[in-house]
Amino acid sequence: MNDTRTLRERYEDVRARIARAAEKSGRRASDVMLVAVTKHASIEDIRELVSLGHTDLGENRVQQMVQRAAIIEEFSARRRDRGGSASPVRWHMIGSLQRNKVKQAIEVTRLIHSVDSLRLAEELQDIAEERGSAPGGEKYGPVDVLIEVNVAGERSKHGCAPAAARHLVDMLDTMVALRPRGLMCMAPNTGSIADARKTFTRCKELFDEIRAIGSGGERFDILSMGMSGDYEVAIECGSNLVRVGSAIFGEPKVTDEDGGDED
Ligand SMILES: *Cc1c(COP(=O)(O)O)cnc(C)c1O
């Protein structure tokens, strides 16, 4: 399919679809956060999106996120110098996180979507605590994280088992430098909307169960699910954060491994 629409048109279309899906489930567009996934986007396209006022961006590799955060921050600073308005961009780490990249990751991220083991949580806690107790560290609040759940049980996917999620939330809740904010999941690779709906519904149930028990507390309120092919379904199933790449930036020209920081 040859998509000749401009970036702005695609972005506005996604925003309109989010609003419609939110209304369908009795919510407002502002109840659903849109994270624009920039992993295959050019710097020019990211700048353009930021110029349109978009603030939340997602990457699945720490290295690329750190580099792009610096470039985009410089761009926003220049806009502010010229009297323009440019809200600070907030970066989301959505790919699997390797323990040796934790330090770099927490420097730039607003939310880490991919905590799926106690070991990774402990590494995050140690590094965030170290940062907080260093000179000038008082300014850092706890690091917001989501638990990634492998709801469909696919062997190729990251994420903890659904049955382990609650325990992981409880453990995270005891770590002073971290704050569990919710769950993240992905639909199975089958491409079937029915499968996606089943997965999202199951994840929403798990999310509600954890909230009902009180694990994670009041601020355990983010349910990150939905990508370009299934974000409307995800919202209908209760998602309040969608991660959308190709529907905004177009299909990637080169396909590569999307698994995150495997290097
Ligand atoms: C790439 C990616 C997305 C966005 O995928 P699109 O299909 O391009 O919207 C969302 N979430 C994660 C974890 C990803 O790796």
Side-chain angles (χ1 to χ4, degrees):
M1 198 179 70
N2 209 352
D3 190 345
T4 55
R5 294 175 302 164
T6 63
L7 175 66
R8 184 189 197 123
E9 285 164 346
R10 286 194 300 260
Y11 175 62
E12 284 174 356
D13 180 47
V14 169
R15 298 280 303 249
R17 285 168 184 268
I18 288 173
R20 273 201 301 275
E23 278 156 24
K24 230 168 135 177
S25 65
R27 292 178 293 159
R28 284 168 307 190
S30 58
D31 296 329
V32 180
M33 182 189 289
L34 169 60
V35 171
V37 176
T38 54
K39 67 187 179 206
H40 296 304
S42 66
I43 294 290
E44 290 68 36
D45 280 353
I46 302 173
R47 286 193 184 120
E48 187 178 341
L49 195 70
V50 169
S51 305
L52 294 172
H54 192 76
T55 52
D56 284 273
L57 304 178
E59 281 283 344
N60 66 344
R61 286 187 169 81
V62 172
Q63 207 65 44
Q64 180 157 306
M65 180 173 66
V66 169
Q67 284 164 0
R68 292 180 154 195
I71 294 169
I72 298 301
E73 177 46 38
E74 199 187 309
F75 171 70
S76 296
R78 272 206 307 276
R79 274 167 62 92
R80 282 191 292 269
D81 285 349
R82 280 188 261 112
S85 67
S87 310
V89 165
R90 301 175 297 204
W91 290 90
H92 295 248
M93 175 59 195
I94 62 171
S96 73
L97 181 57
Q98 291 209 317
R99 291 193 303 142
N100 61 5
K101 303 249 171 75
V102 160
K103 193 170 183 155
Q104 276 185 298
I106 67 171
E107 290 301 320
V108 292
T109 40
R110 167 195 192 180
L111 182 63
I112 295 173
H113 290 230
S114 48
V115 174
D116 62 357
S117 73
L118 190 54
R119 272 182 80 192
L120 175 59
E122 283 169 347
E123 184 76 14
L124 275 160
Q125 158 67 20
D126 287 351
I127 299 223
E129 194 162 35
E130 213 171 276
R131 178 176 72 157
S133 54
E138 315 79 51
K139 65 175 181 281
Y140 299 113
V143 175
D144 282 349
V145 303
L146 303 181
I147 314 298
E148 180 174 356
V149 187
N150 186 354
V151 178
E154 283 184 298
R155 294 185 61 186
S156 59
K157 284 235 165 55
H158 296 277
C160 72
R166 200 189 120 198
H167 179 63
L168 195 48
V169 175
D170 284 335
M171 297 304 291
L172 275 157
D173 221 9
T174 66
M175 299 182 186
V176 292
L178 303 184
R179 186 161 50 198
R181 292 296 309 275
L183 303 181
M184 183 269 233
C185 80
M186 277 192 254
N189 290 333
T190 59
S192 139
I193 285 294
D195 288 349
R197 191 179 291 277
K198 216 162 90 188
T199 301
F200 296 150
T201 301
R202 178 69 196 101
C203 197
K204 171 70 159 79
E205 285 167 4
L206 188 59
F207 178 69
D208 287 344
E209 274 166 41
I210 295 171
R211 277 167 61 84
I213 298 160
S215 298
E218 286 288 302
R219 302 212 50 197
F220 192 85
D221 58 2
I222 301 176
L223 184 54
S224 167
M225 47 188 205
M227 311 184 4
S228 291
D230 53 29
Y231 65 95
E232 291 161 283
V233 179
I235 293 167
E236 285 166 30
C237 294
S239 165
N240 59 17
L241 187 160
V242 292
R243 311 174 308 269
V244 180
S246 50
I248 296 173
F249 295 106
E251 292 296 331
K253 285 178 195 68
V254 285
T255 50
D256 68 354
E257 182 57 49
D258 283 348
D261 261 305
E262 307 295 356
D263 45 308

